[in-house]
Amino acid sequence: MAKPKLISFKICPFVQRSVILLKEKKIDFDIAYIDLNEPPEWFLALSPTGKVPVLEVDGKVLFESAIISEYLDEVNPPSLHPSDPLQKAQNRAWMEFTSSLYMAFFKIMMSKTKEAGAEVILEANKQLHTLEKIKINAPWFNGDKFSMMDISIAPLFMRLAFLKQHFNLDLLEDKPNLQAWSDTTMRRESVINSVVDEFEDILLMRIKGAESFLSLI
Ligand SMILES: N[C@@H](CCC(=O)N[C@@H](CS)C(=O)NCC(=O)O)C(=O)O
């Protein structure tokens, strides 16, 4: 595989998953940042969906973060999935489940009124409780072995920690299993190094610009 190039938006959790995986696998890669508010023509010509991440590899284009992850995992063994097919399938199902929580975070960030915010927080809490109830074989989802599922949820934990730190909004307060998993995840080097230095500043600007109810907290 030639050196892949990842097209990124600095606060995109889906791109962040690709970055964590590339770092875990110690794959040398280039990264190009675009502004999704004003996507450049070359990006629109490249991306069938207009979304990031896009991975360019050997002159070909891959899109959809889950597919990018599966490809990178497959061509750079050993796999970060469990080897048992049923366990692997279950992991993939939970990865899909986790993806929907990113939309909830986005909605929390963009809600203008306290009422709208409370509604999306309720929705997110419901999903988080479902995750809390499944058996996580600590310290990681599959026990001692860090896996694709841990990568899948890492950007979410980072965003929940951000909400707690800046807005005193603690969605893991009553979820000790998720809190412990989050603490372990947030200490992982690949996770710490998966965002740009100005990550939190950009999120804060975004919240302010959207006149989110969070600015009133
Ligand atoms: N299912 C996609 C979701 C990617 C996604 O929603 N990316 C957002 C940024 S975080 C995006 O590019 N949005 C631009 C748009 O929807 O036009 C994946 O997993 O790659």
Side-chain angles (χ1 to χ4, degrees), residues 12-73:
C12 176
F14 302 102
V15 179
Q16 198 181 342
R17 286 171 159 177
S18 305
V19 173
I20 297 170
L21 182 56
L22 285 158
K23 287 187 183 287
E24 283 290 334
K25 299 249 174 192
K26 302 198 178 351
I27 302 167
D28 196 17
F29 66 102
D30 288 321
I31 190 160
Y33 297 103
I34 61 157
D35 180 359
L36 273 179
N37 302 311
E38 286 176 56
E41 283 303 325
W42 63 262
F43 170 71
L44 295 176
L46 205 63
S47 166
T49 58
K51 294 181 182 185
V52 291
V54 163
L55 190 77
E56 280 185 271
V57 56
D58 291 336
K60 299 194 171 68
V61 167
L62 282 180
F63 58 102
E64 284 297 328
S65 62
I67 309 301
I68 291 172
S69 295
E70 295 292 339
Y71 167 74
L72 289 172
D73 188 54

Side-chain angles (χ1 to χ4, degrees), residues 67-87:
I67 309 301
I68 291 172
S69 295
E70 295 292 339
Y71 167 74
L72 289 172
D73 188 54
E74 199 176 336
V75 298
N76 296 279
S79 172
L80 284 177
H81 268 309
S83 51
D84 174 67
L86 182 56
Q87 200 186 350

Side-chain angles (χ1 to χ4, degrees), residues 36-194:
L36 273 179
N37 302 311
E38 286 176 56
E41 283 303 325
W42 63 262
F43 170 71
L44 295 176
L46 205 63
S47 166
T49 58
K51 294 181 182 185
V52 291
V54 163
L55 190 77
E56 280 185 271
V57 56
D58 291 336
K60 299 194 171 68
V61 167
L62 282 180
F63 58 102
E64 284 297 328
S65 62
I67 309 301
I68 291 172
S69 295
E70 295 292 339
Y71 167 74
L72 289 172
D73 188 54
E74 199 176 336
V75 298
N76 296 279
S79 172
L80 284 177
H81 268 309
S83 51
D84 174 67
L86 182 56
Q87 200 186 350
K88 192 193 294 191
Q90 283 182 310
N91 273 240
R92 284 183 171 135
W94 284 112
M95 286 165 73
E96 192 65 35
F97 182 90
T98 308
S99 292
S100 61
L101 271 157
Y102 290 105
M103 185 43 78
F105 171 78
F106 182 72
K107 283 190 201 161
I108 292 174
M109 226 173 66
M110 291 296 149
S111 293
K112 292 207 189 302
T113 64
K114 244 183 147 171
E115 292 70 29
E119 203 170 300
V120 284
I121 287 169
L122 200 75
E123 188 187 313
N125 247 323
K126 216 167 122 190
Q127 285 172 285
L128 287 169
H129 271 298
T130 304
L131 261 181
E132 171 73 8
K133 277 190 288 186
I134 58 167
K135 192 169 159 9
I136 297 157
N137 297 311
W140 303 112
F141 188 75
N142 295 300
D144 287 338
K145 217 174 154 227
F146 181 82
S147 72
M148 299 286 269
M149 176 59 195
D150 301 300
I151 293 178
S152 190
I153 202 164
L156 181 73
F157 285 149
M158 192 176 274
R159 281 152 184 79
L160 294 181
F162 165 85
L163 288 179
K164 182 177 172 183
Q165 188 192 339
H166 292 277
F167 303 101
N168 208 17
L169 177 58
D170 187 0
L171 296 187
L172 298 185
E173 199 173 21
D174 52 351
K175 304 174 191 74
N177 294 334
L178 287 184
Q179 185 62 67
W181 187 13
S182 170
D183 291 345
T184 315
T185 305
M186 292 291 286
R187 285 195 295 270
R188 186 97 180 172
E189 209 181 315
S190 61
V191 175
I192 294 169
N193 296 323
S194 61

